[in-house]
Amino acid sequence: SRSFHLVAHPRATTLILRPSLDSHPSMDTVQASLDQLFVLISGYMVFMMQCGFAMLTAGSVRTKNTKNVLLKNLLDACIGALAYYIFGFAFAYGNETDEGNTVFIGKSNFALSDLSDLGTGTWGPDRLHFFFFQWTFAATAATIVSGSVAERTSFYAYLGYAFFLSAFVYPVVSHWVWSAQGWLSAFKADDLLFGSGMIDFAGCGVVHMVGGFAGLMGAIIVGPRLGRFDAEGNTVPMPGHSATLCTLGTFILWFGWYGFNPGSALAFTTSISLDGTLEGSGPYTAARCAVTTTLAAASGGLTTLFIIKLKDHCYDLVAVLNGTLAGLVGITASCYGVEPWAALIIGAIAALFYIGGGILLLKLKIDDPLEAWPIHGCCGMWGAFAVGLFSKQDLQLVAGFNTEYYGAFYGGGGQLLGANVVGIIVIILWTCGLIGPFFYIFKLLGMLRISPEDELIGNDISKHGGAAYPQDALNAAEESAQRDLGNLKQKDNFGMDDSAKIPEPEVRGDDSA
């Protein structure tokens, strides 16, 4: 236990509580502090993924829309923070300890209103780290969509979408799966779906499917970019302007995934009880998550490399980057409880889902500039499904899940697989059923898409005060100068003084006579 005494802060007019110098924190207090530190650092890493998404998106669009997509990625975090603070966290985790029927949606702690000074209330400041960590996941789900609707979507429609998804669409899904009272949750004390509940450790369904299918609905309703498909329906390549930014963004995302997956263990301490047994599984689960995440990413990237080589006869950098992300998405749900060899298989199959999803989009004439739906939607589905096949019973126990049902490949029955299939279906229906009408209303109001003129000029010049790169400005200035010179019918002397010109020889008549 700890003792406290009142002190006056030198710059404050009120008294504050400070631990007494002669008090000694208990081992439980130290462990709790270390666990909170682990979750906070993991949250910082997940938030860094916003930078990765920004770089990847910027590199995947044309130069004329660089500022636009970067600003949208930034505002995903800004608007998402307010939306999740006011509404989202309450819908996701409200009534965690209260009695009442909250299997569908939480209903308390709006704007963190249940926060108490010393943690004696129903929530308390000792869980502020949990709010922060969960917000970074909400921000990730929201920013996935920016790539699907890039280069032609109205600024205001996008801001409205970011608020709606962060405040309501995503939080309800996270309540279903991750709250102790959600109807899909594997953390419920009883009445689990099929006796198992849906296991989605770090968010294949909750995060990636929500973002991926929201992006799909946006891409369908807003329509393809001008010129993306010709009059015969053939695909016209529109490559991004910077493979360097795409590569940088992918590495940042891969790094952030080590907060995303291992951080979802939510603890990193262990202790030894009096009988010599270990209590607490955080470090073991986190370490396994790091290993399986690494192997799935590598497998996804290499599988894509060789398949695209066979298909297109080239080593496609951007495709390999996306294949690596596909492997990362695919392992997200099962990273806690699969063997390393299984992670390789999951990552390789995720690459197949990514490639197949991309081909399907083009067949259907759906324009997704960053292939967000193939990566996050398709691979998210596969990752959630893979849990029901590869999850090991002993590793489920270590991670804190019910062990009555586990992966079908290990003889665990089909209950876990069935619960996850139900989760996949309802997440698709929920996301598409809400985001689709939302985008369509903006379309009916004429507020979803920018004008053709603005699209051809580019959002940066038409909406954001100028081009993103100085070279673009120099090119524009040079073109303007050439036009002015042409109008004046003058020749450019390249800055030379006229006196330095070499005079042309005079033509004279024959003087020999």
Side-chain angles (χ1 to χ4, degrees), residues 69-412:
V69 296
L70 289 174
L71 182 57
K72 286 178 178 177
N73 274 266
L74 175 62
L75 293 178
D76 276 331
C78 297
I79 293 176
L82 294 179
Y84 199 72
Y85 163 69
I86 298 171
F87 299 108
F89 190 76
F91 289 146
Y93 298 102
N95 294 87
E96 279 284 276
T97 59
D98 297 342
E99 295 183 0
N101 184 13
T102 58
V103 297
F104 182 80
I105 190 171
K107 56 185 181 181
S108 68
N109 204 16
F110 293 95
L112 301 182
S113 57
D114 290 348
L115 192 65
S116 60
D117 290 338
L118 296 177
T120 57
T122 59
W123 192 61
D126 58 316
R127 294 189 66 196
L128 281 174
H129 67 294
F130 184 70
F131 165 82
F132 171 74
F133 187 70
Q134 294 302 327
W135 163 70
T136 63
F137 276 58
T140 300
T143 202
I144 289 170
V145 184
S146 64
S148 295
V149 297
E151 299 199 281
R152 75 273 199 199
T153 306
S154 162
F155 195 69
Y156 298 108
Y158 188 82
L159 297 185
Y161 146 80
F163 189 92
F164 183 49
L165 186 134
S166 301
F168 185 68
V169 179
Y170 167 83
V172 172
V173 176
S174 62
H175 180 82
W176 293 348
V177 181
W178 287 339
S179 169
Q181 296 185 351
W183 69 275
L184 275 171
S185 177
F187 300 111
K188 294 175 66 177
D190 52 26
D191 196 25
L192 298 171
L193 180 65
F194 301 148
S196 169
M198 180 182 184
I199 295 181
D200 184 6
F201 186 75
C204 270
V206 176
V207 178
H208 295 286
M209 281 183 60
V210 169
F213 277 90
L216 176 65
M217 297 309 298
I220 292 173
I221 296 172
V222 74
R225 290 168 290 177
L226 294 178
R228 180 58 168 144
F229 302 101
D230 63 20
E232 287 75 32
N234 299 314
T235 302
V236 178
M238 287 186 173
H241 78 278
S242 176
T244 303
L245 287 179
C246 291
T247 305
L248 175 63
T250 300
F251 273 115
I252 294 174
L253 287 170
W254 190 342
F255 172 77
W257 238 284
Y258 292 123
F260 205 94
N261 287 358
S264 293
L266 299 179
F268 201 72
T269 60
T270 187
S271 60
I272 302 177
S273 63
L274 294 177
D275 61 2
T277 59
L278 293 175
E279 295 180 349
S281 58
Y284 307 103
T285 298
R288 178 170 293 273
C289 288
V291 172
T292 55
T293 298
T294 302
L295 294 177
S299 177
L302 289 173
T303 301
T304 304
L305 174 71
F306 293 119
I307 291 179
I308 297 301
K309 172 61 176 175
L310 293 174
K311 175 177 173 288
D312 298 332
H313 309 290
C314 70
Y315 297 111
D316 190 331
L317 169 63
V318 175
V320 176
L321 296 176
N322 288 340
T324 302
L325 295 177
L328 289 166
V329 172
I331 198 64
T332 295
S334 61
C335 56
Y336 71 94
V338 299
E339 294 289 0
W341 60 264
L344 293 172
I345 295 174
I346 291 171
I349 296 178
L352 300 180
F353 271 83
Y354 152 65
I355 295 171
I359 294 173
L360 179 61
L361 284 182
L362 295 181
K363 291 289 185 183
L364 297 175
K365 305 296 183 291
I366 299 173
D367 185 16
D368 184 346
L370 269 79
E371 297 184 298
W373 179 72
I375 296 171
H376 299 277
C378 294
C379 298
M381 286 191 296
W382 159 241
F385 187 86
V387 173
L389 302 178
F390 293 99
S391 183
K392 292 192 68 178
Q393 184 181 29
D394 57 334
L395 298 178
Q396 281 185 201
L397 176 64
V398 172
F401 292 107
N402 184 290
T403 58
E404 184 177 358
Y405 302 107
Y406 43 96
F409 286 168
Y410 294 96

Side-chain angles (χ1 to χ4, degrees), residues 4-10 12-21:
F4 293 83
H5 62 270
L6 290 172
V7 297
H9 192 278
T13 57
T14 58
L15 297 178
I16 61 174
L17 288 172
R18 176 176 294 171
S20 299
L21 295 178

Side-chain angles (χ1 to χ4, degrees), residues 497-513:
D497 191 294
D498 286 341
S499 63
K501 290 182 179 179
I502 299 175
E504 297 180 2
E506 297 181 3
V507 179
R508 296 185 176 182
D510 190 359
D511 295 326
S512 60

